[in-house]
Amino acid sequence: MAKSSADDAELRRACEAAIEGSKHKVSLSIRTVKTHGTWGKSAKLGRQMAKPRVLALCTKAKGQRTKAFLRVLKYSNGGVLEPAKLYKLKHLSKVEVAANDPSGCTFTLGFDNLRNQTVAPPQWTMRNIDDRNRLLLCILNICKDVLGRLPKVVGVDVVEMALWAKENKPAVSTQSNQQDGASVESAVTETELKVNVEKELVSQAEEEDMEALLGTYIMGVGEAEAFSERLKRELQALEAANVHAILESEPLIDEVLQGLESATNCLEDMDEWLGMFNVKLRHMREDIESIESRNNKLEMQSINNKTLIEELDKLLEQLSIPSGYSACLTGDSFDEALMMQNIEACEWLTTAMRGLEVPNIDPMYAKMRGVKEKRGELQIIKSTFVGKASEYMRCYFASFVDFMLNDKNYFSQRGQLKRPDHADLRFKCRTYARLLKHLKILDKNCLGPLRKAYCASLNLLLRKEAREFANELRSCTKTSKTQTVWFEAFTGSGQNVNSADTSTVSDAYAKILTIFIPLLVDESTFLAHFLCFEDPSVIDSKKAGSNNGDNDDDLGMLDIDEDDSKSSKNSVDFAALNESLQDLLDGMQVCI
């Protein structure tokens, strides 16, 4: 066997010096060459790119455990070994001998913890097969002894390696004492010792027993035939004794046979019982599967029932009418103190009716008889409530305006010629403004009679205020005796009139126009907002954008800019508005 670098003590010391301080014990150090290959391709070896390296197998004791490492050392510029890489043998998963190397000296070591698995691991090329087998056997032995497992070996026959290891065991040299002035050396390999021991047929104790037995016989060397005859006789005697013992044990054999027969019968009975039990178990399994299937269906049905109950509870809650709202919607009280409750009841009624219509409600629920009945009930409640509220407000505003018309103090205590004060009327209107919006949402046709009643009553008030104002202005203005002169001045006639009288009459008419024309514009604007000529959705969006809730119901003289007029241009019913304005302003030209 050629001398290997694995036996180089100087190389081992150089490796130990290179890894000094790491507490690693070098088990094997051997020279090799590092090459690069390609995964899955039979490429030729790149000998020109080979790099000399030294592989050192090391172990490190840590407590009761031992760790194994493979160190790669390289030569520095000065030819001194220095550590290059460190691999843990516990991550070694594969040892593969390269098939594209005819010499069989190239192999790769696959580690499962490498970060970049797409790059092929380096290939190691040994000087000869013996060096390759030494390194691989050492790795396998360390993995088996230290880690308790072996990596996968590909491309080499493990039996051949075992035979190689058996043939290449290191020799055990012994030197005997010098006899007759000459020294005798004998080299006996461990393999030969092991083979000689394995060839012994009897143990040491058996050998001693045989020697004691032979010692009982006093025979010479020439008595071999007599010894053979004696052994034959003793063997025959032993066989006869054995036959006799067998014959004597016949009753026992019969008893044993009977026991075996009864056991056989028991086994047959047990086999029948087991067959019956198997049938019963099969039926029981089928019953269990059927029960499990029914249980699954019941569980699914329970879940569906629970979900259905929850949906029905929501639907019933949606269909039920709260007692407080029911009292407001079916009652006849529309006083100012109860107006907030009535408005809340209107909001609930609007929401409830919308909630029962598709797509706010599931089409499947919309076809249910209970939903249809509840929808009809809400329609009846809506009609009743709208009719009562409209009639009440029509009578209320008519009576309030009649009260103002018949109130002498309202016309006698105004003092100077000023614009009529409708603050009390506006305050009353402010109380019922939100209710009118909800009434329009519930039934937009209900506002027609209410608008006519309001315009008729307010028209009477405005006409009376205009006449009273004109009478007071007439009493305060001094004119000529001829009453037709100042009328003709405004018709453009060419007659000569008194300039002073004309100026006085012009001032009087200018004062009437500057007071009543803005008043009529203000009342017209108030009418449009108060009697809901705008789209309720537009009004609701304006209310939602306001930060102060009190301003939402402020129906005084509203500021309407161009943007507001453009946004609500399409939402105003101009025909109905013009009709109401005509009812409101009818006859005012005669009074003025």
Side-chain angles (χ1 to χ4, degrees):
M1 182 175 62
K3 184 174 178 59
S4 173
S5 61
D7 301 327
D8 192 347
E10 189 67 27
L11 180 61
R12 182 186 293 267
R13 285 193 293 270
C15 292
E16 291 176 350
I19 62 174
E20 184 180 3
S22 60
K23 297 182 181 180
H24 286 186
K25 181 180 179 182
V26 178
S27 300
L28 176 69
S29 60
I30 192 167
R31 292 186 178 89
T32 183
V33 173
K34 178 181 178 182
T35 57
H36 291 277
T38 305
W39 284 107
K41 295 182 179 179
S42 299
K44 295 183 179 180
L45 295 175
R47 297 285 185 175
Q48 67 278 6
M49 299 178 63
K51 300 178 182 178
R53 294 288 187 268
V54 175
L55 297 180
L57 292 172
C58 307
T59 57
K60 179 181 179 180
K62 187 175 183 180
Q64 297 181 354
R65 295 187 305 169
T66 302
K67 295 184 177 181
F69 304 92
L70 174 65
R71 281 186 171 273
V72 180
L73 297 95
K74 64 181 180 178
Y75 289 95
S76 62
N77 294 331
V80 180
L81 286 176
E82 58 182 15
K85 287 188 179 181
L86 176 65
Y87 299 96
K88 294 181 179 180
L89 288 183
K90 68 178 182 179
H91 297 296
L92 180 61
S93 60
K94 185 178 181 181
V95 177
E96 182 176 2
V97 176
N100 54 6
D101 185 6
S103 64
C105 299
T106 303
F107 61 92
T108 58
L109 301 176
F111 293 88
D112 57 7
N113 65 332
L114 295 180
R115 294 182 180 179
N116 192 356
Q117 297 290 344
T118 59
V119 179
Q123 294 181 344
W124 308 101
T125 303
M126 310 304 294
R127 295 189 305 171
N128 47 52
I129 294 295
D130 294 334
D131 283 355
R132 185 204 70 180
N133 291 339
R134 285 189 183 90
L135 179 61
L136 296 184
L137 279 175
C138 187
I139 292 175
L140 295 177
N141 290 332
I142 291 177
C143 290
K144 181 179 180 181
D145 297 338
V146 177
L147 305 178
R149 64 175 182 82
L150 290 175
K152 183 179 179 180
V153 180
V154 180
V156 64
D157 191 354
V158 180
V159 177
E160 291 182 2
M161 293 186 65
L163 294 175
W164 181 90
K166 185 175 181 181
E167 294 174 357
N168 294 274
K169 285 284 185 177
V172 180
S173 299
T174 59
Q175 184 175 359
S176 63
N177 295 329
Q178 291 183 357
Q179 296 178 358
D180 299 334
S183 61
V184 179
E185 288 188 359
S186 63
V188 182
T189 63
E190 292 182 359
T191 305
E192 291 174 351
L193 293 176
K194 184 176 180 181
V195 171
N196 290 335
V197 172
E198 290 177 352
K199 288 182 179 180
E200 294 178 355
L201 299 178
V202 295
S203 63
Q204 184 68 25
E206 291 175 344
E207 185 179 357
E208 292 177 356
D209 292 338
M210 291 179 66
E211 290 179 354
L213 178 62
L214 292 175
T216 58
Y217 296 93
I218 304 173
M219 297 179 182
V221 179
E223 297 177 354
E225 295 180 359
F227 179 68
S228 176
E229 291 293 334
R230 185 175 177 177
L231 287 178
K232 288 180 181 180
R233 288 195 301 270
E234 290 183 358
L235 179 59
Q236 291 176 357
L238 289 173
E239 290 178 354
N242 290 334
V243 172
H244 181 70
I246 290 172
L247 293 176
E248 288 181 351
S249 61
E250 184 178 0
L252 297 176
I253 295 173
D254 294 337
E255 184 177 356
V256 171
L257 292 176
Q258 292 177 0
L260 291 175
E261 185 177 359
S262 61
T264 303
N265 295 332
C266 291
L267 287 176
E268 292 177 355
D269 296 338
M270 186 175 294
D271 186 40
E272 293 179 0
W273 280 101
L274 289 176
M276 296 173 60
F277 284 139
N278 286 333
V279 175
K280 292 181 178 180
L281 286 175
R282 186 172 64 254
H283 293 311
M284 289 178 66
R285 291 191 188 97
E286 294 176 355
D287 294 339
I288 290 173
E289 291 177 358
S290 177
I291 292 172
E292 288 180 352
S293 177
R294 289 197 296 269
N295 287 339
N296 293 334
K297 293 180 180 179
L298 290 175
E299 184 177 0
M300 182 62 68
Q301 185 177 1
S302 176
I303 295 173
N304 293 336
N305 290 338
K306 183 177 179 182
T307 306
L308 179 60
I309 290 173
E310 292 177 355
E311 292 294 330
L312 290 177
D313 289 339
K314 294 178 181 178
L315 183 60
L316 291 176
E317 183 180 358
Q318 189 175 358
L319 295 178
S320 62
I321 303 176
S323 58
Y325 296 154
S326 178
C328 293
L329 294 172
T330 57
D332 297 332
S333 178
F334 295 94
D335 296 336
E336 296 180 10
L338 301 176
M339 193 51 55
M340 290 303 300
Q341 290 84 342
N342 291 329
I343 291 174
E344 290 178 0
C346 286
E347 292 177 351
W348 177 88
L349 180 60
T350 303
T351 304
M353 294 185 68
R354 288 177 179 174
L356 295 179
E357 298 294 337
V358 179
N360 296 325
I361 191 173
D362 195 311
M364 179 178 60
Y365 294 156
K367 298 179 181 179
M368 295 177 63
R369 185 176 62 183
V371 175
K372 293 180 179 179
E373 292 177 355
K374 180 58 65 176
R375 193 183 298 119
E377 181 182 354
L378 292 180
Q379 288 288 347
I380 296 174
I381 293 175
K382 180 197 75 172
S383 301
T384 304
F385 177 79
V386 170
K388 291 180 179 180
S390 300
E391 183 64 25
Y392 174 83
M393 293 179 65
R394 184 166 59 251
C395 297
Y396 178 82
F397 287 120
S399 62
F400 187 79
V401 173
D402 290 341
F403 173 77
M404 293 179 65
L405 289 172
N406 298 324
D407 188 5
K408 296 180 180 179
N409 295 328
Y410 174 74
F411 293 98
S412 62
Q413 296 180 0
R414 284 205 308 266
Q416 300 176 355
L417 293 173
K418 295 182 179 180
R419 174 177 171 171
D421 186 10
H422 294 169
D424 294 339
L425 179 61
R426 295 289 178 86
F427 182 78
K428 296 297 182 182
C429 293
R430 176 182 177 183
T431 304
Y432 294 95
R434 291 181 62 189
L435 182 61
L436 284 175
K437 296 175 185 177
H438 289 287
L439 290 179
K440 182 178 181 181
I441 295 174
L442 293 173
D443 186 4
K444 61 181 180 180
N445 297 324
C446 71
L447 294 181
L450 184 60
R451 288 169 178 171
K452 287 187 174 293
Y454 176 83
C455 292
S457 300
L458 193 61
N459 178 261
L460 294 176
L461 179 62
L462 292 174
R463 290 170 64 180
K464 185 174 181 179
E465 288 175 344
R467 285 194 299 270
E468 292 292 332
F469 190 89
N471 292 333
E472 292 181 7
L473 184 62
R474 190 179 296 110
S475 64
C476 297
T477 304
K478 295 180 180 180
T479 60
S480 62
K481 294 181 180 180
T482 305
Q483 297 294 332
T484 59
V485 175
W486 56 278
F487 283 107
E488 294 175 355
F490 288 94
T491 60
S493 64
Q495 298 179 2
N496 295 326
V497 295
N498 192 317
S499 61
D501 294 339
T502 303
S503 177
T504 303
V505 174
S506 298
D507 293 340
Y509 267 93
K511 193 167 188 177
I512 293 176
L513 294 176
T514 55
I515 289 177
F516 271 88
I517 294 303
L519 175 64
L520 297 179
V521 173
D522 188 10
E523 290 297 336
S524 300
T525 305
F526 177 79
L527 172 68
H529 288 280
F530 174 61
L531 292 180
C532 302
F533 282 98
E534 292 184 345
D535 190 357
S537 61
V538 177
I539 300 174
D540 294 339
S541 64
K542 291 180 181 179
K543 289 173 59 180
S546 176
N547 294 327
N548 189 356
D550 296 337
N551 294 333
D552 296 336
D553 294 333
D554 187 5
L555 295 176
M557 184 60 185
L558 300 178
D559 295 332
I560 304 178
D561 56 11
E562 294 181 359
D563 295 335
D564 292 337
S565 62
K566 291 179 181 179
S567 63
S568 61
K569 182 177 180 180
N570 297 327
S571 62
V572 178
D573 187 357
F574 289 103
L577 179 59
N578 291 331
E579 184 179 356
S580 297
L581 290 177
Q582 185 176 359
D583 294 338
L584 178 68
L585 304 177
D586 187 23
M588 289 301 300
Q589 67 274 15
V590 178
C591 297
I592 296 177

